[in-house]
Amino acid sequence: MDNPDSAHTRSDDEAISIAKAAVLLSGGNFDADTETACRRVLNGESEVEQELSAFRAQLRG
């Protein structure tokens, strides 16, 4: 069992795998563009709000 006092960080790949599982379990789609957006956020190249705005703009076409 993990020690609750110790900080555990996940690798980028682990974080993306967890996000992908959550999206797929909720009936969503997780494609290469979604993974790329996740990596931009994890790398500090973008922020979640920016990615959501871009996604919404894409939906509006």
Side-chain angles (χ1 to χ4, degrees):
M1 182 171 197
D2 289 333
N3 180 351
D5 295 328
S6 66
H8 175 75
T9 57
R10 300 191 189 289
S11 71
D12 289 356
D13 289 334
E14 287 175 314
I16 290 172
S17 292
I18 291 167
K20 182 177 182 177
V23 169
L24 295 175
L25 284 170
S26 67
N29 294 320
F30 195 96
D31 58 15
D33 291 337
T34 305
E35 182 172 341
T36 301
C38 288
R39 291 193 185 282
R40 282 194 298 267
V41 170
L42 287 170
N43 293 330
E45 300 168 20
S46 181
E47 297 201 8
V48 172
E49 292 81 11
Q50 292 170 306
E51 297 298 337
L52 287 173
S53 291
F55 176 70
R56 289 180 184 122
Q58 183 181 10
L59 289 176
R60 290 183 194 117

